[in-house]
Amino acid sequence: PAKKMLSNGIYINPWATLLYKTSYEFDQESIIPVVKDFIKNRPSNTSLLEKGEAYSTVGHQLNPPHLWPQFKDFCADLLVTLKEIYAEHRILDKENCLLQSWVNTHGPGGETLEHSHNLVDFVVTCYLKLPENSGFIEFRDPLEYHKANSYINPDTELWVPIPCKTNDILIFPGWLKHRVQPNNSEEERIVLTINVGSPNAVQSMQA
């Protein structure tokens, strides 16, 4: 008689996968100097989320990086990929665009505190420079409160780091809480972030 097997089952996820990881060969030689010049000409850091030796241009949207010629080809490819991601999340027939973008830099010890991106469909995180030991992004378990009757070790289970390297890209929903580990290297970490959503979302943020 045939054996009764339980070990040949499969895992099924009927919902969209929250994290999408890919990569892009950014032209480091042309991009990094422009990024540094842009940061050098900005006022003092205005983001309360940056801690330690850290800086963000998030408050300076008059000339956001996604409109720079250095990112023109990348953004064109990104819009194509975003169509697939919207479909994966079953968000159909919704007008969307690249809303805002900024650059974060972290020197030794610099980090970004826990936050989410309100009124945004997706966040695109691009690692323009990610030296060894400079820290990864971490995501908070979105099912945390649904697991109220289960034991969760906050030191090992509540936050999950996603290993990445230079030129890697992560795309995830704006509501997903995240933070960035401290930079434990002596080199600078440089990250480009892009908010994606409805064209009227920026007006809603400013209202």
Side-chain angles (χ1 to χ4, degrees):
K3 293 183 179 179
K4 296 180 179 180
M5 299 291 291
L6 290 178
S7 60
N8 60 351
I10 59 173
Y11 290 98
I12 297 176
N13 179 14
W15 297 281
T17 302
L18 295 181
L19 291 177
Y20 179 84
K21 184 179 181 181
T22 184
S23 63
Y24 187 88
E25 290 296 323
F26 291 103
D27 184 353
Q28 307 290 338
E29 292 186 1
S30 67
I31 290 176
I32 298 300
V34 174
V35 167
K36 289 185 176 295
D37 285 342
F38 180 68
I39 292 174
K40 183 172 62 177
N41 294 321
R42 298 301 97 190
S44 300
N45 179 34
T46 55
S47 175
L48 298 177
L49 294 173
E50 305 309 315
K51 181 180 177 182
E53 188 176 329
Y55 183 83
S56 176
T57 68
V58 65
H60 312 291
Q61 294 297 320
L62 294 179
N63 181 27
H66 72 275
L67 298 181
W68 298 355
Q70 289 83 3
F71 292 111
K72 181 179 179 181
D73 291 341
F74 164 69
C75 288
D77 289 347
L78 175 60
L79 288 171
V80 175
T81 299
L82 284 169
K83 289 182 180 180
E84 301 175 5
I85 292 175
Y86 269 86
E88 164 70 12
H89 286 258
R90 303 189 184 105
I91 305 176
L92 306 176
D93 300 324
K94 179 180 181 182
E95 187 179 7
N96 61 83
C97 64
L98 307 185
L99 295 171
Q100 301 166 311
S101 63
W102 59 93
V103 174
N104 287 351
T105 63
H106 297 97
E111 62 181 304
T112 302
L113 302 179
E114 176 184 352
H115 66 287
S116 60
H117 295 224
N118 295 331
L119 302 176
V120 168
D121 293 337
F122 297 102
V123 179
V124 182
T125 296
C126 312
Y127 292 96
L128 303 181
K129 182 181 178 183
L130 189 65
E132 187 176 357
N133 297 322
S134 63
F136 299 133
I137 190 171
E138 294 182 329
F139 291 94
R140 190 168 187 139
D141 186 351
L143 298 179
E144 172 187 0
Y145 299 106
H146 298 281
K147 298 177 179 179
N149 295 322
S150 302
Y151 174 75
I152 297 179
N153 185 331
D155 295 327
T156 59
E157 299 176 27
L158 187 59
W159 289 94
V160 178
I162 306 298
C164 289
K165 60 183 183 301
T166 297
N167 290 328
D168 278 352
I169 296 168
L170 294 176
I171 303 176
F172 53 92
W175 54 260
L176 188 60
K177 291 184 178 181
H178 53 285
R179 66 186 184 187
V180 181
Q181 297 172 337
N183 180 356
N184 290 323
S185 78
E186 296 301 316
E187 299 182 65
E188 190 175 47
R189 176 176 65 210
I190 304 177
V191 182
L192 167 68
T193 301
I194 302 175
N195 278 344
V196 182
S198 299
N200 63 355
V202 172
Q203 286 78 9
S204 298
M205 294 175 192
Q206 297 171 343

